[in-house]
Amino acid sequence: QVQFVESGGGLVQPGGSLRLSCAASGAFFGIYAMGWYRQTPGTQRELVARITSSGSTDYAASVRGRFTISRDNTKKVVYLQMNSLKPEDTAVYFCNTDIAAQRNTSWGQGTQVTVSS
């Protein structure tokens, strides 16, 4: 089993940037596809970006071209570089494996991102 701790969120102005980190603990981190998800009050959690164990990536249309997901399997960390931030990016951001997300388990506490002028 793997547990995650998200960090790097904060308050940023529109057009600004943040880099989120997801630190993993446990075995077999490198074999899992990982995703960044976000959730706002009253909304369903949505997948923002995904990266496979080999480094292939996918992005939600709303963030494509602005966000970049990456991973360091040696350090057991997944990153989300967020550029050109918009107010609609405001949310709590979580990371998780594909399989745990499908089972709705292993969620961490998330990190708050607030984009406001």
Side-chain angles (χ1 to χ4, degrees), residues 16-32:
S17 297
L18 286 172
R19 191 191 193 196
L20 307 184
S21 297
C22 170
S25 62
F28 309 114
F29 170 80
I31 72 172
Y32 297 117

PDB file of all heavy atoms in Angstrom, residues 16-32:
ATOM      1  N   GLY A  16      -0.283  33.520 -12.384  1.00  0.00           N
ATOM      2  CA  GLY A  16       0.860  33.051 -11.639  1.00  0.00           C
ATOM      3  C   GLY A  16       1.081  31.559 -11.769  1.00  0.00           C
ATOM      4  O   GLY A  16       0.370  30.860 -12.490  1.00  0.00           O
ATOM      5  N   SER A  17       2.072  31.067 -11.020  1.00  0.00           N
ATOM      6  CA  SER A  17       2.468  29.665 -11.100  1.00  0.00           C
ATOM      7  C   SER A  17       2.625  29.071  -9.709  1.00  0.00           C
ATOM      8  O   SER A  17       2.952  29.768  -8.745  1.00  0.00           O
ATOM      9  CB  SER A  17       3.796  29.518 -11.845  1.00  0.00           C
ATOM     10  OG  SER A  17       3.698  29.956 -13.183  1.00  0.00           O
ATOM     11  N   LEU A  18       2.391  27.778  -9.624  1.00  0.00           N
ATOM     12  CA  LEU A  18       2.652  26.987  -8.437  1.00  0.00           C
ATOM     13  C   LEU A  18       3.167  25.628  -8.863  1.00  0.00           C
ATOM     14  O   LEU A  18       2.832  25.148  -9.949  1.00  0.00           O
ATOM     15  CB  LEU A  18       1.396  26.800  -7.582  1.00  0.00           C
ATOM     16  CG  LEU A  18       0.882  27.976  -6.755  1.00  0.00           C
ATOM     17  CD1 LEU A  18      -0.468  27.626  -6.144  1.00  0.00           C
ATOM     18  CD2 LEU A  18       1.876  28.344  -5.671  1.00  0.00           C
ATOM     19  N   ARG A  19       3.949  25.006  -7.996  1.00  0.00           N
ATOM     20  CA  ARG A  19       4.404  23.641  -8.222  1.00  0.00           C
ATOM     21  C   ARG A  19       3.982  22.786  -7.042  1.00  0.00           C
ATOM     22  O   ARG A  19       4.432  23.004  -5.917  1.00  0.00           O
ATOM     23  CB  ARG A  19       5.917  23.579  -8.386  1.00  0.00           C
ATOM     24  CG  ARG A  19       6.415  22.217  -8.879  1.00  0.00           C
ATOM     25  CD  ARG A  19       7.920  22.104  -8.786  1.00  0.00           C
ATOM     26  NE  ARG A  19       8.428  20.957  -9.528  1.00  0.00           N
ATOM     27  CZ  ARG A  19       9.643  20.445  -9.382  1.00  0.00           C
ATOM     28  NH1 ARG A  19      10.497  20.994  -8.520  1.00  0.00           N
ATOM     29  NH2 ARG A  19      10.020  19.402 -10.114  1.00  0.00           N
ATOM     30  N   LEU A  20       3.122  21.821  -7.305  1.00  0.00           N
ATOM     31  CA  LEU A  20       2.654  20.913  -6.278  1.00  0.00           C
ATOM     32  C   LEU A  20       3.527  19.667  -6.240  1.00  0.00           C
ATOM     33  O   LEU A  20       4.009  19.205  -7.275  1.00  0.00           O
ATOM     34  CB  LEU A  20       1.205  20.500  -6.530  1.00  0.00           C
ATOM     35  CG  LEU A  20       0.187  21.627  -6.723  1.00  0.00           C
ATOM     36  CD1 LEU A  20      -1.214  21.042  -6.857  1.00  0.00           C
ATOM     37  CD2 LEU A  20       0.257  22.627  -5.579  1.00  0.00           C
ATOM     38  N   SER A  21       3.707  19.126  -5.048  1.00  0.00           N
ATOM     39  CA  SER A  21       4.463  17.906  -4.862  1.00  0.00           C
ATOM     40  C   SER A  21       3.604  16.874  -4.156  1.00  0.00           C
ATOM     41  O   SER A  21       2.784  17.212  -3.298  1.00  0.00           O
ATOM     42  CB  SER A  21       5.728  18.161  -4.039  1.00  0.00           C
ATOM     43  OG  SER A  21       6.605  19.045  -4.699  1.00  0.00           O
ATOM     44  N   CYS A  22       3.805  15.633  -4.507  1.00  0.00           N
ATOM     45  CA  CYS A  22       3.113  14.506  -3.898  1.00  0.00           C
ATOM     46  C   CYS A  22       4.171  13.501  -3.482  1.00  0.00           C
ATOM     47  O   CYS A  22       4.778  12.838  -4.338  1.00  0.00           O
ATOM     48  CB  CYS A  22       2.122  13.896  -4.892  1.00  0.00           C
ATOM     49  SG  CYS A  22       1.404  12.322  -4.382  1.00  0.00           S
ATOM     50  N   ALA A  23       4.397  13.396  -2.189  1.00  0.00           N
ATOM     51  CA  ALA A  23       5.395  12.482  -1.654  1.00  0.00           C
ATOM     52  C   ALA A  23       4.724  11.178  -1.257  1.00  0.00           C
ATOM     53  O   ALA A  23       3.744  11.176  -0.509  1.00  0.00           O
ATOM     54  CB  ALA A  23       6.098  13.101  -0.453  1.00  0.00           C
ATOM     55  N   ALA A  24       5.250  10.083  -1.749  1.00  0.00           N
ATOM     56  CA  ALA A  24       4.671   8.767  -1.513  1.00  0.00           C
ATOM     57  C   ALA A  24       5.499   7.974  -0.524  1.00  0.00           C
ATOM     58  O   ALA A  24       6.723   8.114  -0.457  1.00  0.00           O
ATOM     59  CB  ALA A  24       4.551   7.987  -2.819  1.00  0.00           C
ATOM     60  N   SER A  25       4.817   7.141   0.231  1.00  0.00           N
ATOM     61  CA  SER A  25       5.471   6.182   1.105  1.00  0.00           C
ATOM     62  C   SER A  25       4.856   4.821   0.854  1.00  0.00           C
ATOM     63  O   SER A  25       3.677   4.712   0.515  1.00  0.00           O
ATOM     64  CB  SER A  25       5.325   6.574   2.574  1.00  0.00           C
ATOM     65  OG  SER A  25       3.963   6.603   2.969  1.00  0.00           O
ATOM     66  N   GLY A  26       5.652   3.795   1.027  1.00  0.00           N
ATOM     67  CA  GLY A  26       5.183   2.448   0.781  1.00  0.00           C
ATOM     68  C   GLY A  26       5.921   1.808  -0.374  1.00  0.00           C
ATOM     69  O   GLY A  26       6.780   2.420  -1.019  1.00  0.00           O
ATOM     70  N   ALA A  27       5.555   0.593  -0.648  1.00  0.00           N
ATOM     71  CA  ALA A  27       6.237  -0.203  -1.656  1.00  0.00           C
ATOM     72  C   ALA A  27       5.583  -0.066  -3.018  1.00  0.00           C
ATOM     73  O   ALA A  27       4.414   0.315  -3.146  1.00  0.00           O
ATOM     74  CB  ALA A  27       6.248  -1.669  -1.236  1.00  0.00           C
ATOM     75  N   PHE A  28       6.348  -0.344  -4.047  1.00  0.00           N
ATOM     76  CA  PHE A  28       5.874  -0.492  -5.422  1.00  0.00           C
ATOM     77  C   PHE A  28       5.361   0.801  -6.044  1.00  0.00           C
ATOM     78  O   PHE A  28       4.572   0.765  -6.995  1.00  0.00           O
ATOM     79  CB  PHE A  28       4.782  -1.568  -5.516  1.00  0.00           C
ATOM     80  CG  PHE A  28       5.157  -2.865  -4.891  1.00  0.00           C
ATOM     81  CD1 PHE A  28       4.489  -3.334  -3.769  1.00  0.00           C
ATOM     82  CD2 PHE A  28       6.197  -3.625  -5.407  1.00  0.00           C
ATOM     83  CE1 PHE A  28       4.839  -4.530  -3.182  1.00  0.00           C
ATOM     84  CE2 PHE A  28       6.555  -4.831  -4.823  1.00  0.00           C
ATOM     85  CZ  PHE A  28       5.873  -5.280  -3.715  1.00  0.00           C
ATOM     86  N   PHE A  29       5.824   1.952  -5.564  1.00  0.00           N
ATOM     87  CA  PHE A  29       5.382   3.226  -6.122  1.00  0.00           C
ATOM     88  C   PHE A  29       5.623   3.301  -7.625  1.00  0.00           C
ATOM     89  O   PHE A  29       4.782   3.787  -8.380  1.00  0.00           O
ATOM     90  CB  PHE A  29       6.098   4.382  -5.417  1.00  0.00           C
ATOM     91  CG  PHE A  29       5.888   5.710  -6.080  1.00  0.00           C
ATOM     92  CD1 PHE A  29       4.726   6.427  -5.877  1.00  0.00           C
ATOM     93  CD2 PHE A  29       6.860   6.245  -6.920  1.00  0.00           C
ATOM     94  CE1 PHE A  29       4.530   7.656  -6.484  1.00  0.00           C
ATOM     95  CE2 PHE A  29       6.676   7.471  -7.533  1.00  0.00           C
ATOM     96  CZ  PHE A  29       5.499   8.181  -7.313  1.00  0.00           C
ATOM     97  N   GLY A  30       6.767   2.839  -8.067  1.00  0.00           N
ATOM     98  CA  GLY A  30       7.165   2.998  -9.455  1.00  0.00           C
ATOM     99  C   GLY A  30       6.323   2.248 -10.467  1.00  0.00           C
ATOM    100  O   GLY A  30       6.392   2.565 -11.659  1.00  0.00           O
ATOM    101  N   ILE A  31       5.533   1.290 -10.052  1.00  0.00           N
ATOM    102  CA  ILE A  31       4.735   0.515 -10.991  1.00  0.00           C
ATOM    103  C   ILE A  31       3.363   1.130 -11.245  1.00  0.00           C
ATOM    104  O   ILE A  31       2.660   0.688 -12.162  1.00  0.00           O
ATOM    105  CB  ILE A  31       4.556  -0.939 -10.520  1.00  0.00           C
ATOM    106  CG1 ILE A  31       3.595  -1.024  -9.328  1.00  0.00           C
ATOM    107  CG2 ILE A  31       5.906  -1.551 -10.173  1.00  0.00           C
ATOM    108  CD1 ILE A  31       3.229  -2.447  -8.944  1.00  0.00           C
ATOM    109  N   TYR A  32       2.979   2.128 -10.480  1.00  0.00           N
ATOM    110  CA  TYR A  32       1.626   2.670 -10.563  1.00  0.00           C
ATOM    111  C   TYR A  32       1.538   3.864 -11.482  1.00  0.00           C
ATOM    112  O   TYR A  32       2.405   4.738 -11.468  1.00  0.00           O
ATOM    113  CB  TYR A  32       1.128   3.094  -9.177  1.00  0.00           C
ATOM    114  CG  TYR A  32       0.995   1.976  -8.180  1.00  0.00           C
ATOM    115  CD1 TYR A  32       1.768   1.962  -7.028  1.00  0.00           C
ATOM    116  CD2 TYR A  32       0.092   0.949  -8.384  1.00  0.00           C
ATOM    117  CE1 TYR A  32       1.647   0.945  -6.104  1.00  0.00           C
ATOM    118  CE2 TYR A  32      -0.034  -0.080  -7.463  1.00  0.00           C
ATOM    119  CZ  TYR A  32       0.741  -0.074  -6.324  1.00  0.00           C
ATOM    120  OH  TYR A  32       0.618  -1.083  -5.410  1.00  0.00           O
TER     121      TYR A  32
END
